[in-house]
């Protein structure tokens, strides 16, 4: 079995990458919520409980679960030189301006000998208090951290994306999340099982793109959202790298425009595939819908504006006579707004017609069941405050072809 093999959204999921929420959530404060992209402060114990249930759903369905923190710890294990290189890069990207803080942060992190504990600490961030440094003005300038936490890491969909037998290590939209991609960069360059994996994009590029906007429709077709967090220019770069890769089977990349809003964020918050011919969507994307198709002809990339409805686009792209488009909220406008906010459209297929959803989106879930979809419901009262659903919290590494 190949270590990376994802060329569709719905066939049997075999292996998935997740991150269990950790102490990074303890370093969230009310004044930092906007900066760190959270709507509230989650209860860590409850978040862990909900996430453990999420992982157990996978295991009960025969899916192998691997953790980001474990892969990174394995990458650094017994490699002192690589760990030192990672620490240097991590501290540089933490953008620490005070020499004393930098010195004490390095000293503390170097003192952690266990690789997993070390990795988790880099994810959690460091406070001035644990470095023994006082800030007499903390009540006024709210500066309590030496290194900011990475609380969005449990949304493993975004920092990198599996595409066929390769990955796109992404350049993130916000400064807050840009550091998250360092783990994927080390794993796919140095982990014994994943080093040498083809990277179709890369961190630190000029234009940003995130994994929630990338959908592997089939081995020949990729759909990517032009969204708040993914720029068209990045899609063009990615399309060039994929379409000119002789090993890639992708022949077309369709960029779909969605409203540039926090509520929509990524394509997969408003549109996901749940069966061969069935998709769930948020009605709010229809009024602004337009698409651009990228394909290769000879030695250049062709661009074509697609003047079709979403329904016709999917039918033509998938060569199907009929497509089912199931609206979030079941067509009720109030339910659609409420349940899209809590990721009613962000489903994760673990097999054709079998999806993991958030339990709280009752109207959408009932609609899915009435249309023959098997729905596995996850309690998400705490996890949802980070604004992401089951697809956001998972990065498939292997699916059946």
């Amino acid at each position: 079995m190949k270590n990376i093999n994802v060329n569709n959204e719905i066939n049997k999921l075999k292996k998935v990458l997740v991150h269990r929420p950790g102490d990074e959530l303890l370093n969230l404060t009310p004044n930092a919520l906007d900066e760190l992209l959270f709507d509230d402060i989650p209860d860590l114990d409850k978040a862990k409980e909900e996430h453990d249930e999420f992982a157990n759903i996978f295991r009960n369905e025969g899916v192998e679960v691997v953790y980001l923190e474990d892969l990174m710890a394995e990458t650094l294990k017994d490699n002192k030189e690589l760990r030192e290189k990672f620490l240097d890069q991590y501290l540089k990207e933490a953008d620490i301006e005070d020499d004393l803080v930098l010195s004490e942060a390095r000293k503390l992190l170097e003192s952690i000998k266990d690789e997993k504990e070390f990795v988790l600490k880099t994810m959690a961030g460091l406070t001035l208090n644990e470095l023994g440094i006082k800030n007499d003005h903390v009540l006024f300038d709210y500066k309590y951290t030496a290194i900011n936490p990475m609380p969005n890491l449990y949304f493993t969909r975004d920092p990198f994306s599996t595409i066929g037998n390769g990955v796109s290590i992404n350049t993130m939209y916000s400064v807050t999340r840009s550091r998250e991609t360092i783990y994927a960069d080390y794993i796919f360059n140095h982990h014994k099982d994943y080093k040498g994996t083809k990277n179709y994009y890369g961190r630190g590029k000029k234009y940003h793109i995130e994994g929630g906007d990338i959908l592997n429709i089939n081995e020949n077709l990729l759909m990517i959202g032009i969204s708040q967090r993914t720029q068209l220019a990045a899609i063009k770069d990615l399309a060039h790298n994929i379409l000119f890769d002789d090993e890639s089977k992708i022949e077309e990349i369709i960029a779909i425009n969605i409203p540039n809003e926090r509520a929509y964020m990524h394509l997969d918050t408003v549109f996901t595939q749940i069966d061969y011919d069935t998709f769930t969507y948020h009605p709010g994307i229809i009024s602004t819908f337009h698409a651009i198709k990228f394909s290769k002809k000879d030695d250049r990339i062709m661009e074509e504006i697609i003047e079709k409805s979403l329904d016709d686009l999917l039918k033509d792209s998938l060569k199907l006579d009929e497509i089912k488009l199931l609206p979030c909220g079941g067509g009720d406008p109030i339910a659609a707004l409420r349940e899209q906010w809590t990721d009613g459209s962000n489903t994760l297929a673990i097999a054709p017609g079998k999806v993991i959803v958030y339990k709280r989106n009752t109207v959408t879930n009932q609609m899915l069941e009435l249309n023959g979809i098997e729905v596995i419901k996850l309690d998400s009262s705490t996890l949802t405050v980070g604004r992401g659903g089951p697809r956001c919290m998972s990065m498939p590494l292997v699916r059946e072809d």
Side-chain angles (χ1 to χ4, degrees):
M1 181 175 72
K2 294 178 179 178
N3 291 322
I4 297 289
N5 188 60
V6 179
N7 55 34
N8 64 85
E9 289 288 315
I10 56 170
N11 281 353
K12 175 67 177 173
L13 183 60
K14 306 292 288 183
K15 190 172 186 178
V16 67
L17 177 80
V18 298
H19 166 62
R20 189 176 190 249
D23 287 353
E24 61 271 12
L25 297 188
L26 295 180
N27 287 334
L28 275 169
T29 57
N31 56 285
L33 289 177
D34 286 344
E35 178 187 356
L36 298 177
L37 307 178
F38 267 68
D39 289 329
D40 203 349
I41 296 176
D43 178 327
L44 178 56
D45 289 340
K46 182 64 175 173
K48 287 180 176 179
E49 180 183 320
E50 292 173 3
H51 196 274
D52 287 345
E53 179 54 32
F54 184 51
N56 285 333
I57 289 173
F58 288 126
R59 295 186 183 102
N60 291 339
E61 295 293 330
V63 181
E64 182 183 355
V65 178
V66 295
Y67 288 88
L68 177 67
E69 51 270 36
D70 289 337
L71 290 187
M72 186 61 188
E74 291 166 6
T75 301
L76 300 179
K77 188 174 177 60
D78 299 326
N79 193 332
K80 183 179 179 182
E81 184 178 339
L82 188 65
R83 175 169 157 153
E84 289 175 353
K85 179 184 176 183
F86 166 77
L87 180 56
D88 286 343
Q89 188 175 349
Y90 171 84
L91 290 172
K92 180 180 179 181
E93 294 185 17
D95 197 25
I96 302 170
E97 297 179 356
D98 186 281
D99 290 341
L100 175 61
V101 172
L102 178 60
S103 173
E104 292 302 314
R106 178 181 292 279
K107 188 184 303 182
L108 187 150
L109 290 169
E110 286 178 341
S111 72
I112 302 173
K113 302 307 179 185
D114 179 79
E115 278 82 4
K116 185 172 179 179
E117 183 184 349
F118 169 76
V119 169
L120 290 173
K121 193 59 182 169
T122 65
M123 295 174 171
L126 297 175
T127 68
L128 294 175
N129 185 55
E130 65 187 319
L131 296 182
I133 298 174
K134 291 185 177 181
N135 184 345
D136 296 332
H137 304 289
V138 69
L139 294 179
F140 302 99
D141 65 13
Y142 302 108
K143 182 62 179 174
Y144 74 102
T145 55
I147 299 176
N148 274 347
M150 303 186 204
N152 297 279
L153 267 174
Y154 69 88
F155 300 121
T156 51
R157 178 70 56 166
D158 299 324
F160 79 93
S161 315
T162 47
I163 300 174
N165 301 130
V167 297
S168 169
I169 299 178
N170 298 322
T171 294
M172 308 294 278
Y173 164 74
S174 69
V175 174
T176 289
R177 298 200 68 183
S178 63
R179 293 179 299 140
E180 294 178 28
T181 59
I182 192 171
Y183 303 107
D185 204 42
Y186 273 77
I187 289 166
F188 291 111
N189 279 296
H190 301 288
H191 190 281
K192 60 183 178 60
D193 295 331
Y194 294 98
K195 63 183 177 182
T197 300
K198 182 162 294 186
N199 177 15
Y200 288 115
Y201 200 65
R203 63 196 311 259
K205 300 288 188 181
K206 182 177 180 180
Y207 303 109
H208 49 77
I209 186 169
E210 296 190 0
D213 282 309
I214 299 175
L215 277 67
N216 295 278
I217 302 300
N218 58 43
E219 66 177 8
N220 305 127
L221 174 63
L222 206 63
M223 286 188 175
I224 306 179
I226 310 167
S227 70
Q228 182 196 54
R229 301 190 180 186
T230 293
Q231 294 172 286
L232 178 58
I235 299 173
K236 290 182 179 182
D237 286 351
L238 182 66
H240 182 275
N241 295 338
I242 292 173
L243 294 173
F244 278 96
D245 175 24
D246 292 336
E247 296 179 5
S248 172
K249 296 180 180 179
I250 294 171
E251 298 170 356
E252 294 182 351
I253 294 173
I254 296 177
I256 297 177
N257 186 71
I258 65 172
N260 188 342
E261 298 179 16
R262 159 80 164 147
Y264 294 167
M265 197 185 310
H266 293 129
L267 180 61
D268 71 359
T269 67
V270 292
F271 176 76
T272 48
Q273 187 175 11
I274 53 182
D275 207 340
Y276 294 109
D277 60 353
T278 307
F279 297 78
T280 181
Y281 75 103
H282 178 57
I285 69 171
I286 298 301
S287 61
T288 60
F289 178 78
H290 71 264
I292 305 170
K293 181 170 74 175
F294 298 93
S295 58
K296 186 179 78 166
K297 184 176 181 180
D298 300 327
D299 61 348
R300 60 197 178 106
I301 300 294
M302 306 296 293
E303 295 183 29
E304 177 188 350
I305 302 296
I306 300 178
E307 301 289 351
K308 296 177 182 177
S309 67
L310 177 59
D311 182 86
D312 287 340
L313 170 63
L314 291 170
K315 284 191 290 188
D316 292 348
S317 298
L318 297 176
K319 298 177 175 57
L320 295 172
D321 294 330
E322 296 294 331
I323 288 287
K324 283 185 185 178
L325 286 172
L326 305 181
C328 179
D332 180 287
I334 292 178
L337 288 170
R338 285 173 51 85
E339 297 196 356
Q340 191 276 326
W341 183 246
T342 51
D343 297 289
S345 297
N346 191 258
T347 63
L348 175 71
I350 55 175
K354 189 176 197 177
V355 296
I356 304 176
V357 299
Y358 278 168
K359 179 181 178 181
R360 63 187 299 162
N361 297 313
T362 55
V363 178
T364 303
N365 294 343
Q366 183 179 40
M367 173 204 62
L368 295 177
E369 290 173 330
L370 289 173
N371 281 273
I373 304 300
E374 185 177 347
V375 175
I376 303 174
K377 300 168 186 174
L378 172 68
D379 182 15
S380 63
S381 58
T382 299
L383 293 173
T384 195
V385 303
R387 298 268 69 82
R391 190 178 190 273
C392 296
M393 294 194 300
S394 58
M395 177 43 67
L397 297 179
V398 180
R399 280 191 188 271
E400 288 185 354
D401 291 335

